[in-house]
Amino acid sequence: MKAMVFDACGGPEKIHLAEVPKPDVGREDVLIQVKACSLNHMDLFVRQGPAEPGAKFPFWGLADVAGVVSEVGAGVDTCRPGDRVIVNPALSCGACEFCRSGEDSLCVDFKILGDEIPGGAAEYLAIPARNITPLPDDFGFEEAAAIPLVFLTAWRALTTQAQLKPGEDVLILGASGGVASAAIQIAKLAGARIFAVTSGTEKAARAQELGADVVLDRNEVDFARETLRLTADRGVDVVLENVGTPTWKQSLQCLARAGRLVTYGRTAGLIGETNIRELFIKQTRIIGTTMGNRREFAEVTRLVFQRRLRPVIDKVYPFEQLRAAHERLEAGAQFGKIVLSVGS
Ligand SMILES: [Zn+2]
């Protein structure tokens, strides 16, 4: 089969089309003919390296996949060849103490499709049958491929982790990102007031369209100072963080008392400065989150399929132009998800 691979970590120029073996289909697996897949920031980290010890090349990434079931393993009776599906990219062992309690994303052997194991940037993908969800007929593959990772991450972050309530204030960083564009809509549905941080008038307008009540341009204002000013020095109840080093201190500063900082990423640096006195005086909670469990995946995809939340697509590239898609994401030029159309 064809895949968009890289043979070593490095720049986008490492990505090229190659012929690779079609994956084996295990007893509990299904083989999916990939129709569309989409990029996440994770794909840049995986491609840039350094490679994980024991990483195997050629490697192909991409966590988010929509397609058609083409084969089912001998032990699978929940779907049939020809079924249209999307893939939950959160892979867990199913046997550890966390999996047994339903907390898949805390699995001791947790993996994300396209991170440590090859992903969706190929004609076919083999995946455990329990990781697929039927796709409604009125949902196109490209639209569907923009759903899984970002909606799952944003849903767990704001509902399970932040416990966001109606009437609360939430500040969402990096509003043009995939998770953030999902989070703005989820926060709106939850009845919160939304402060979104982005750059430029075009991205600001798109954040507002999605439901942001206040948009702060990070190139024009200090977002923490401006948030405090707009809330009469009270601060916001929840901050959704994915930037890391450059924003961490400000994210803590603009939290109200008993505020929650929820982090799901670190696009610009791993280490953040924390004022410990401020932390205990304000009784701040710092909460890490990653992906989500099967219940959360079911909850959020149901809302998307009901059109109460909508996938935000920035641009669709043909399969062979994955390199250009990486370049667009790396430049931060996108608003929402960059999608690849496969085999059309
Ligand atoms: Zn497990």
mmCIF file of all heavy atoms in Angstrom, residues 64-116:
data_model
loop_
_atom_site.group_PDB
_atom_site.id
_atom_site.type_symbol
_atom_site.label_atom_id
_atom_site.label_comp_id
_atom_site.label_asym_id
_atom_site.label_seq_id
_atom_site.Cartn_x
_atom_site.Cartn_y
_atom_site.Cartn_z
ATOM 1 N N ASP A 64 -5.868 10.986 13.343
ATOM 2 C CA ASP A 64 -7.300 11.119 13.053
ATOM 3 C C ASP A 64 -7.653 10.512 11.704
ATOM 4 O O ASP A 64 -7.146 10.961 10.675
ATOM 5 C CB ASP A 64 -7.681 12.602 13.057
ATOM 6 C CG ASP A 64 -7.666 13.195 14.454
ATOM 7 O OD1 ASP A 64 -7.996 12.454 15.402
ATOM 8 O OD2 ASP A 64 -7.339 14.380 14.596
ATOM 9 N N VAL A 65 -8.539 9.528 11.730
ATOM 10 C CA VAL A 65 -8.846 8.758 10.525
ATOM 11 C C VAL A 65 -10.357 8.572 10.368
ATOM 12 O O VAL A 65 -11.064 8.245 11.324
ATOM 13 C CB VAL A 65 -8.174 7.363 10.592
ATOM 14 C CG1 VAL A 65 -8.628 6.479 9.440
ATOM 15 C CG2 VAL A 65 -6.656 7.503 10.590
ATOM 16 N N ALA A 66 -10.826 8.741 9.125
ATOM 17 C CA ALA A 66 -12.185 8.336 8.753
ATOM 18 C C ALA A 66 -12.061 7.471 7.502
ATOM 19 O O ALA A 66 -11.211 7.731 6.648
ATOM 20 C CB ALA A 66 -13.047 9.556 8.457
ATOM 21 N N GLY A 67 -12.873 6.428 7.419
ATOM 22 C CA GLY A 67 -12.762 5.549 6.257
ATOM 23 C C GLY A 67 -13.836 4.485 6.231
ATOM 24 O O GLY A 67 -14.885 4.617 6.877
ATOM 25 N N VAL A 68 -13.541 3.429 5.470
ATOM 26 C CA VAL A 68 -14.501 2.348 5.266
ATOM 27 C C VAL A 68 -13.863 1.030 5.717
ATOM 28 O O VAL A 68 -12.703 0.756 5.390
ATOM 29 C CB VAL A 68 -14.887 2.256 3.766
ATOM 30 C CG1 VAL A 68 -15.792 1.065 3.512
ATOM 31 C CG2 VAL A 68 -15.553 3.546 3.310
ATOM 32 N N VAL A 69 -14.613 0.227 6.467
ATOM 33 C CA VAL A 69 -14.119 -1.074 6.901
ATOM 34 C C VAL A 69 -13.937 -1.960 5.659
ATOM 35 O O VAL A 69 -14.847 -2.089 4.851
ATOM 36 C CB VAL A 69 -15.109 -1.744 7.891
ATOM 37 C CG1 VAL A 69 -14.658 -3.167 8.238
ATOM 38 C CG2 VAL A 69 -15.239 -0.902 9.156
ATOM 39 N N SER A 70 -12.721 -2.523 5.515
ATOM 40 C CA SER A 70 -12.519 -3.377 4.334
ATOM 41 C C SER A 70 -12.330 -4.843 4.705
ATOM 42 O O SER A 70 -12.570 -5.714 3.880
ATOM 43 C CB SER A 70 -11.372 -2.848 3.474
ATOM 44 O OG SER A 70 -10.143 -3.301 3.929
ATOM 45 N N GLU A 71 -11.907 -5.127 5.946
ATOM 46 C CA GLU A 71 -11.782 -6.524 6.414
ATOM 47 C C GLU A 71 -12.041 -6.528 7.904
ATOM 48 O O GLU A 71 -11.738 -5.539 8.575
ATOM 49 C CB GLU A 71 -10.328 -6.991 6.255
ATOM 50 C CG GLU A 71 -9.989 -7.747 5.002
ATOM 51 C CD GLU A 71 -8.486 -8.112 5.015
ATOM 52 O OE1 GLU A 71 -8.067 -8.943 5.844
ATOM 53 O OE2 GLU A 71 -7.758 -7.504 4.212
ATOM 54 N N VAL A 72 -12.582 -7.635 8.434
ATOM 55 C CA VAL A 72 -12.719 -7.732 9.896
ATOM 56 C C VAL A 72 -12.026 -8.996 10.390
ATOM 57 O O VAL A 72 -12.014 -10.016 9.690
ATOM 58 C CB VAL A 72 -14.206 -7.720 10.359
ATOM 59 C CG1 VAL A 72 -14.914 -6.448 9.932
ATOM 60 C CG2 VAL A 72 -14.944 -8.933 9.847
ATOM 61 N N GLY A 73 -11.426 -8.915 11.581
ATOM 62 C CA GLY A 73 -10.771 -10.067 12.192
ATOM 63 C C GLY A 73 -11.794 -11.150 12.548
ATOM 64 O O GLY A 73 -12.995 -10.860 12.666
ATOM 65 N N ALA A 74 -11.289 -12.372 12.779
ATOM 66 C CA ALA A 74 -12.167 -13.522 13.037
ATOM 67 C C ALA A 74 -13.034 -13.321 14.279
ATOM 68 O O ALA A 74 -14.139 -13.866 14.365
ATOM 69 C CB ALA A 74 -11.321 -14.787 13.179
ATOM 70 N N GLY A 75 -12.554 -12.522 15.253
ATOM 71 C CA GLY A 75 -13.301 -12.345 16.495
ATOM 72 C C GLY A 75 -14.208 -11.124 16.515
ATOM 73 O O GLY A 75 -14.758 -10.757 17.561
ATOM 74 N N VAL A 76 -14.399 -10.479 15.380
ATOM 75 C CA VAL A 76 -15.159 -9.217 15.351
ATOM 76 C C VAL A 76 -16.556 -9.429 14.783
ATOM 77 O O VAL A 76 -16.714 -9.926 13.664
ATOM 78 C CB VAL A 76 -14.414 -8.154 14.492
ATOM 79 C CG1 VAL A 76 -15.234 -6.874 14.392
ATOM 80 C CG2 VAL A 76 -13.036 -7.864 15.067
ATOM 81 N N ASP A 77 -17.583 -9.072 15.586
ATOM 82 C CA ASP A 77 -18.945 -9.197 15.065
ATOM 83 C C ASP A 77 -19.732 -7.881 15.207
ATOM 84 O O ASP A 77 -20.949 -7.847 15.104
ATOM 85 C CB ASP A 77 -19.684 -10.350 15.766
ATOM 86 C CG ASP A 77 -19.752 -10.137 17.275
ATOM 87 O OD1 ASP A 77 -19.281 -9.073 17.755
ATOM 88 O OD2 ASP A 77 -20.258 -11.028 17.984
ATOM 89 N N THR A 78 -19.009 -6.786 15.449
ATOM 90 C CA THR A 78 -19.678 -5.504 15.682
ATOM 91 C C THR A 78 -19.746 -4.621 14.433
ATOM 92 O O THR A 78 -20.357 -3.560 14.460
ATOM 93 C CB THR A 78 -18.938 -4.715 16.785
ATOM 94 O OG1 THR A 78 -17.543 -4.712 16.456
ATOM 95 C CG2 THR A 78 -19.130 -5.349 18.145
ATOM 96 N N CYS A 79 -19.084 -5.027 13.360
ATOM 97 C CA CYS A 79 -19.130 -4.231 12.131
ATOM 98 C C CYS A 79 -18.867 -5.138 10.941
ATOM 99 O O CYS A 79 -18.498 -6.297 11.106
ATOM 100 C CB CYS A 79 -18.102 -3.103 12.170
ATOM 101 S SG CYS A 79 -16.417 -3.690 12.239
ATOM 102 N N ARG A 80 -19.102 -4.594 9.747
ATOM 103 C CA ARG A 80 -18.966 -5.388 8.523
ATOM 104 C C ARG A 80 -18.186 -4.615 7.472
ATOM 105 O O ARG A 80 -18.183 -3.377 7.506
ATOM 106 C CB ARG A 80 -20.362 -5.700 7.959
ATOM 107 C CG ARG A 80 -21.129 -6.703 8.759
ATOM 108 C CD ARG A 80 -22.445 -7.019 8.103
ATOM 109 N NE ARG A 80 -23.252 -5.801 7.908
ATOM 110 C CZ ARG A 80 -24.538 -5.815 7.589
ATOM 111 N NH1 ARG A 80 -25.167 -6.957 7.380
ATOM 112 N NH2 ARG A 80 -25.207 -4.691 7.448
ATOM 113 N N PRO A 81 -17.578 -5.319 6.534
ATOM 114 C CA PRO A 81 -16.939 -4.603 5.430
ATOM 115 C C PRO A 81 -17.944 -3.671 4.757
ATOM 116 O O PRO A 81 -19.112 -4.037 4.577
ATOM 117 C CB PRO A 81 -16.506 -5.728 4.479
ATOM 118 C CG PRO A 81 -16.274 -6.902 5.379
ATOM 119 C CD PRO A 81 -17.349 -6.785 6.442
ATOM 120 N N GLY A 82 -17.495 -2.484 4.434
ATOM 121 C CA GLY A 82 -18.379 -1.491 3.805
ATOM 122 C C GLY A 82 -18.885 -0.447 4.787
ATOM 123 O O GLY A 82 -19.359 0.612 4.383
ATOM 124 N N ASP A 83 -18.804 -0.724 6.102
ATOM 125 C CA ASP A 83 -19.258 0.259 7.096
ATOM 126 C C ASP A 83 -18.378 1.513 7.060
ATOM 127 O O ASP A 83 -17.155 1.421 7.006
ATOM 128 C CB ASP A 83 -19.192 -0.331 8.521
ATOM 129 C CG ASP A 83 -20.296 -1.343 8.786
ATOM 130 O OD1 ASP A 83 -21.148 -1.538 7.905
ATOM 131 O OD2 ASP A 83 -20.277 -1.957 9.879
ATOM 132 N N ARG A 84 -19.029 2.687 7.118
ATOM 133 C CA ARG A 84 -18.298 3.957 7.212
ATOM 134 C C ARG A 84 -18.037 4.253 8.691
ATOM 135 O O ARG A 84 -18.961 4.186 9.506
ATOM 136 C CB ARG A 84 -19.124 5.091 6.603
ATOM 137 C CG ARG A 84 -19.513 4.848 5.146
ATOM 138 C CD ARG A 84 -20.588 5.810 4.684
ATOM 139 N NE ARG A 84 -20.061 7.126 4.336
ATOM 140 C CZ ARG A 84 -20.220 8.231 5.050
ATOM 141 N NH1 ARG A 84 -20.911 8.206 6.173
ATOM 142 N NH2 ARG A 84 -19.719 9.374 4.651
ATOM 143 N N VAL A 85 -16.797 4.593 9.025
ATOM 144 C CA VAL A 85 -16.429 4.737 10.441
ATOM 145 C C VAL A 85 -15.449 5.884 10.683
ATOM 146 O O VAL A 85 -14.776 6.347 9.758
ATOM 147 C CB VAL A 85 -15.767 3.427 10.971
ATOM 148 C CG1 VAL A 85 -16.746 2.266 10.955
ATOM 149 C CG2 VAL A 85 -14.505 3.075 10.191
ATOM 150 N N ILE A 86 -15.379 6.315 11.952
ATOM 151 C CA ILE A 86 -14.236 7.103 12.410
ATOM 152 C C ILE A 86 -13.526 6.312 13.498
ATOM 153 O O ILE A 86 -14.106 5.413 14.118
ATOM 154 C CB ILE A 86 -14.586 8.512 12.947
ATOM 155 C CG1 ILE A 86 -15.579 8.441 14.114
ATOM 156 C CG2 ILE A 86 -15.049 9.424 11.856
ATOM 157 C CD1 ILE A 86 -15.683 9.767 14.862
ATOM 158 N N VAL A 87 -12.258 6.692 13.717
ATOM 159 C CA VAL A 87 -11.389 5.950 14.628
ATOM 160 C C VAL A 87 -11.133 6.778 15.880
ATOM 161 O O VAL A 87 -10.820 7.970 15.788
ATOM 162 C CB VAL A 87 -10.046 5.637 13.923
ATOM 163 C CG1 VAL A 87 -9.044 5.038 14.896
ATOM 164 C CG2 VAL A 87 -10.278 4.722 12.731
ATOM 165 N N ASN A 88 -11.252 6.122 17.046
ATOM 166 C CA ASN A 88 -10.788 6.717 18.296
ATOM 167 C C ASN A 88 -9.291 6.428 18.394
ATOM 168 O O ASN A 88 -8.899 5.269 18.537
ATOM 169 C CB ASN A 88 -11.551 6.097 19.474
ATOM 170 C CG ASN A 88 -11.059 6.630 20.818
ATOM 171 O OD1 ASN A 88 -10.046 7.327 20.895
ATOM 172 N ND2 ASN A 88 -11.768 6.283 21.884
ATOM 173 N N PRO A 89 -8.442 7.473 18.323
ATOM 174 C CA PRO A 89 -7.001 7.228 18.257
ATOM 175 C C PRO A 89 -6.345 6.924 19.604
ATOM 176 O O PRO A 89 -5.130 6.783 19.678
ATOM 177 C CB PRO A 89 -6.456 8.532 17.679
ATOM 178 C CG PRO A 89 -7.441 9.577 18.080
ATOM 179 C CD PRO A 89 -8.779 8.904 18.195
ATOM 180 N N ALA A 90 -7.128 6.817 20.683
ATOM 181 C CA ALA A 90 -6.584 6.516 22.013
ATOM 182 C C ALA A 90 -6.507 5.000 22.186
ATOM 183 O O ALA A 90 -7.526 4.326 22.206
ATOM 184 C CB ALA A 90 -7.479 7.127 23.090
ATOM 185 N N LEU A 91 -5.285 4.487 22.296
ATOM 186 C CA LEU A 91 -5.095 3.040 22.363
ATOM 187 C C LEU A 91 -4.638 2.639 23.758
ATOM 188 O O LEU A 91 -3.653 3.172 24.275
ATOM 189 C CB LEU A 91 -4.050 2.601 21.332
ATOM 190 C CG LEU A 91 -4.434 2.934 19.880
ATOM 191 C CD1 LEU A 91 -3.239 2.770 18.956
ATOM 192 C CD2 LEU A 91 -5.593 2.058 19.431
ATOM 193 N N SER A 92 -5.372 1.707 24.366
ATOM 194 C CA SER A 92 -5.067 1.305 25.734
ATOM 195 C C SER A 92 -5.066 -0.220 25.817
ATOM 196 O O SER A 92 -5.603 -0.897 24.949
ATOM 197 C CB SER A 92 -6.106 1.897 26.681
ATOM 198 O OG SER A 92 -7.408 1.627 26.198
ATOM 199 N N CYS A 93 -4.458 -0.752 26.911
ATOM 200 C CA CYS A 93 -4.236 -2.207 26.984
ATOM 201 C C CYS A 93 -5.517 -2.958 27.311
ATOM 202 O O CYS A 93 -5.647 -4.139 27.012
ATOM 203 C CB CYS A 93 -3.146 -2.513 27.991
ATOM 204 S SG CYS A 93 -3.665 -2.373 29.723
ATOM 205 N N GLY A 94 -6.473 -2.295 27.981
ATOM 206 C CA GLY A 94 -7.724 -2.961 28.342
ATOM 207 C C GLY A 94 -7.622 -3.840 29.586
ATOM 208 O O GLY A 94 -8.614 -4.401 30.041
ATOM 209 N N ALA A 95 -6.423 -3.957 30.176
ATOM 210 C CA ALA A 95 -6.229 -4.911 31.275
ATOM 211 C C ALA A 95 -5.682 -4.293 32.556
ATOM 212 O O ALA A 95 -5.847 -4.853 33.638
ATOM 213 C CB ALA A 95 -5.293 -6.032 30.820
ATOM 214 N N CYS A 96 -5.037 -3.130 32.498
ATOM 215 C CA CYS A 96 -4.397 -2.561 33.693
ATOM 216 C C CYS A 96 -5.466 -1.992 34.644
ATOM 217 O O CYS A 96 -6.643 -1.904 34.295
ATOM 218 C CB CYS A 96 -3.380 -1.490 33.305
ATOM 219 S SG CYS A 96 -4.106 0.062 32.735
ATOM 220 N N GLU A 97 -5.053 -1.571 35.828
ATOM 221 C CA GLU A 97 -6.022 -1.093 36.829
ATOM 222 C C GLU A 97 -6.826 0.113 36.321
ATOM 223 O O GLU A 97 -8.005 0.252 36.627
ATOM 224 C CB GLU A 97 -5.310 -0.733 38.147
ATOM 225 C CG GLU A 97 -4.270 0.357 37.987
ATOM 226 C CD GLU A 97 -3.634 0.802 39.308
ATOM 227 O OE1 GLU A 97 -4.381 1.168 40.221
ATOM 228 O OE2 GLU A 97 -2.389 0.785 39.389
ATOM 229 N N PHE A 98 -6.184 0.974 35.518
ATOM 230 C CA PHE A 98 -6.878 2.175 35.022
ATOM 231 C C PHE A 98 -7.873 1.814 33.920
ATOM 232 O O PHE A 98 -8.996 2.311 33.892
ATOM 233 C CB PHE A 98 -5.856 3.215 34.554
ATOM 234 C CG PHE A 98 -4.947 3.658 35.664
ATOM 235 C CD1 PHE A 98 -3.650 3.165 35.761
ATOM 236 C CD2 PHE A 98 -5.410 4.538 36.641
ATOM 237 C CE1 PHE A 98 -2.828 3.549 36.811
ATOM 238 C CE2 PHE A 98 -4.596 4.933 37.689
ATOM 239 C CZ PHE A 98 -3.291 4.429 37.784
ATOM 240 N N CYS A 99 -7.444 0.930 33.005
ATOM 241 C CA CYS A 99 -8.370 0.476 31.954
ATOM 242 C C CYS A 99 -9.573 -0.218 32.588
ATOM 243 O O CYS A 99 -10.716 -0.004 32.167
ATOM 244 C CB CYS A 99 -7.672 -0.493 31.003
ATOM 245 S SG CYS A 99 -6.563 0.324 29.850
ATOM 246 N N ARG A 100 -9.330 -1.038 33.601
ATOM 247 C CA ARG A 100 -10.434 -1.781 34.234
ATOM 248 C C ARG A 100 -11.422 -0.839 34.916
ATOM 249 O O ARG A 100 -12.593 -1.153 35.061
ATOM 250 C CB ARG A 100 -9.888 -2.813 35.222
ATOM 251 C CG ARG A 100 -9.237 -4.029 34.558
ATOM 252 C CD ARG A 100 -9.186 -5.245 35.497
ATOM 253 N NE ARG A 100 -8.651 -4.914 36.803
ATOM 254 C CZ ARG A 100 -7.352 -4.974 37.129
ATOM 255 N NH1 ARG A 100 -6.469 -5.351 36.237
ATOM 256 N NH2 ARG A 100 -6.949 -4.657 38.337
ATOM 257 N N SER A 101 -10.939 0.344 35.332
ATOM 258 C CA SER A 101 -11.871 1.300 35.951
ATOM 259 C C SER A 101 -12.437 2.284 34.920
ATOM 260 O O SER A 101 -13.043 3.290 35.287
ATOM 261 C CB SER A 101 -11.170 2.037 37.087
ATOM 262 O OG SER A 101 -10.167 2.876 36.562
ATOM 263 N N GLY A 102 -12.183 2.024 33.633
ATOM 264 C CA GLY A 102 -12.779 2.860 32.589
ATOM 265 C C GLY A 102 -11.970 4.092 32.240
ATOM 266 O O GLY A 102 -12.424 4.943 31.482
ATOM 267 N N GLU A 103 -10.768 4.216 32.826
ATOM 268 C CA GLU A 103 -9.943 5.400 32.554
ATOM 269 C C GLU A 103 -8.855 5.066 31.545
ATOM 270 O O GLU A 103 -7.658 5.017 31.862
ATOM 271 C CB GLU A 103 -9.366 5.957 33.863
ATOM 272 C CG GLU A 103 -10.390 6.696 34.700
ATOM 273 C CD GLU A 103 -10.949 7.949 33.999
ATOM 274 O OE1 GLU A 103 -10.486 8.316 32.906
ATOM 275 O OE2 GLU A 103 -11.888 8.546 34.571
ATOM 276 N N ASP A 104 -9.294 4.890 30.296
ATOM 277 C CA ASP A 104 -8.381 4.453 29.232
ATOM 278 C C ASP A 104 -7.160 5.348 29.066
ATOM 279 O O ASP A 104 -6.058 4.859 28.822
ATOM 280 C CB ASP A 104 -9.122 4.411 27.897
ATOM 281 C CG ASP A 104 -10.454 3.701 28.023
ATOM 282 O OD1 ASP A 104 -11.435 4.354 28.420
ATOM 283 O OD2 ASP A 104 -10.496 2.499 27.749
ATOM 284 N N SER A 105 -7.370 6.669 29.199
ATOM 285 C CA SER A 105 -6.246 7.559 28.897
ATOM 286 C C SER A 105 -5.213 7.581 30.029
ATOM 287 O O SER A 105 -4.162 8.206 29.897
ATOM 288 C CB SER A 105 -6.727 8.982 28.580
ATOM 289 O OG SER A 105 -7.391 9.544 29.690
ATOM 290 N N LEU A 106 -5.513 6.903 31.143
ATOM 291 C CA LEU A 106 -4.509 6.738 32.205
ATOM 292 C C LEU A 106 -3.795 5.391 32.097
ATOM 293 O O LEU A 106 -2.965 5.048 32.938
ATOM 294 C CB LEU A 106 -5.175 6.848 33.586
ATOM 295 C CG LEU A 106 -5.605 8.255 33.996
ATOM 296 C CD1 LEU A 106 -6.503 8.203 35.235
ATOM 297 C CD2 LEU A 106 -4.380 9.107 34.285
ATOM 298 N N CYS A 107 -4.112 4.623 31.068
ATOM 299 C CA CYS A 107 -3.521 3.292 30.867
ATOM 300 C C CYS A 107 -1.999 3.342 31.019
ATOM 301 O O CYS A 107 -1.355 4.261 30.511
ATOM 302 C CB CYS A 107 -3.891 2.783 29.468
ATOM 303 S SG CYS A 107 -3.128 1.196 29.065
ATOM 304 N N VAL A 108 -1.429 2.332 31.682
ATOM 305 C CA VAL A 108 0.028 2.306 31.875
ATOM 306 C C VAL A 108 0.752 2.074 30.545
ATOM 307 O O VAL A 108 1.950 2.315 30.426
ATOM 308 C CB VAL A 108 0.457 1.234 32.908
ATOM 309 C CG1 VAL A 108 -0.097 1.575 34.285
ATOM 310 C CG2 VAL A 108 0.007 -0.167 32.487
ATOM 311 N N ASP A 109 0.024 1.592 29.546
ATOM 312 C CA ASP A 109 0.611 1.372 28.220
ATOM 313 C C ASP A 109 -0.116 2.233 27.175
ATOM 314 O O ASP A 109 -0.329 1.804 26.046
ATOM 315 C CB ASP A 109 0.519 -0.122 27.869
ATOM 316 C CG ASP A 109 1.396 -0.468 26.673
ATOM 317 O OD1 ASP A 109 2.386 0.252 26.439
ATOM 318 O OD2 ASP A 109 1.086 -1.449 25.964
ATOM 319 N N PHE A 110 -0.510 3.444 27.586
ATOM 320 C CA PHE A 110 -1.310 4.292 26.709
ATOM 321 C C PHE A 110 -0.516 4.742 25.478
ATOM 322 O O PHE A 110 0.643 5.136 25.580
ATOM 323 C CB PHE A 110 -1.779 5.535 27.482
ATOM 324 C CG PHE A 110 -2.751 6.373 26.703
ATOM 325 C CD1 PHE A 110 -4.024 5.904 26.448
ATOM 326 C CD2 PHE A 110 -2.390 7.619 26.210
ATOM 327 C CE1 PHE A 110 -4.937 6.667 25.723
ATOM 328 C CE2 PHE A 110 -3.281 8.391 25.489
ATOM 329 C CZ PHE A 110 -4.559 7.910 25.234
ATOM 330 N N LYS A 111 -1.158 4.677 24.337
ATOM 331 C CA LYS A 111 -0.517 5.135 23.093
ATOM 332 C C LYS A 111 -1.537 5.907 22.272
ATOM 333 O O LYS A 111 -2.738 5.656 22.352
ATOM 334 C CB LYS A 111 -0.042 3.945 22.270
ATOM 335 C CG LYS A 111 1.141 3.190 22.855
ATOM 336 C CD LYS A 111 1.628 2.139 21.858
ATOM 337 C CE LYS A 111 2.860 1.414 22.376
ATOM 338 N NZ LYS A 111 2.544 0.490 23.492
ATOM 339 N N ILE A 112 -1.016 6.826 21.469
ATOM 340 C CA ILE A 112 -1.870 7.539 20.512
ATOM 341 C C ILE A 112 -1.462 7.081 19.116
ATOM 342 O O ILE A 112 -0.267 6.999 18.799
ATOM 343 C CB ILE A 112 -1.715 9.066 20.644
ATOM 344 C CG1 ILE A 112 -2.043 9.512 22.075
ATOM 345 C CG2 ILE A 112 -2.609 9.788 19.644
ATOM 346 C CD1 ILE A 112 -1.755 10.971 22.360
ATOM 347 N N LEU A 113 -2.458 6.766 18.337
ATOM 348 C CA LEU A 113 -2.224 6.373 16.956
ATOM 349 C C LEU A 113 -1.374 7.446 16.254
ATOM 350 O O LEU A 113 -1.662 8.633 16.356
ATOM 351 C CB LEU A 113 -3.590 6.245 16.265
ATOM 352 C CG LEU A 113 -3.621 5.675 14.859
ATOM 353 C CD1 LEU A 113 -3.166 4.228 14.842
ATOM 354 C CD2 LEU A 113 -5.027 5.795 14.285
ATOM 355 N N GLY A 114 -0.321 7.001 15.565
ATOM 356 C CA GLY A 114 0.517 7.949 14.830
ATOM 357 C C GLY A 114 1.605 8.586 15.678
ATOM 358 O O GLY A 114 2.359 9.426 15.191
ATOM 359 N N ASP A 115 1.668 8.210 16.978
ATOM 360 C CA ASP A 115 2.720 8.731 17.838
ATOM 361 C C ASP A 115 3.842 7.701 17.926
ATOM 362 O O ASP A 115 4.857 7.804 17.271
ATOM 363 C CB ASP A 115 2.128 9.086 19.205
ATOM 364 C CG ASP A 115 3.139 9.750 20.121
ATOM 365 O OD1 ASP A 115 4.240 10.086 19.657
ATOM 366 O OD2 ASP A 115 2.835 9.951 21.311
ATOM 367 N N GLU A 116 3.611 6.635 18.691
ATOM 368 C CA GLU A 116 4.629 5.579 18.758
ATOM 369 C C GLU A 116 4.384 4.470 17.743
ATOM 370 O O GLU A 116 5.255 3.635 17.504
ATOM 371 C CB GLU A 116 4.656 4.975 20.166
ATOM 372 C CG GLU A 116 5.223 5.915 21.199
ATOM 373 C CD GLU A 116 4.978 5.385 22.606
ATOM 374 O OE1 GLU A 116 5.565 4.358 22.948
ATOM 375 O OE2 GLU A 116 4.162 5.998 23.331
#
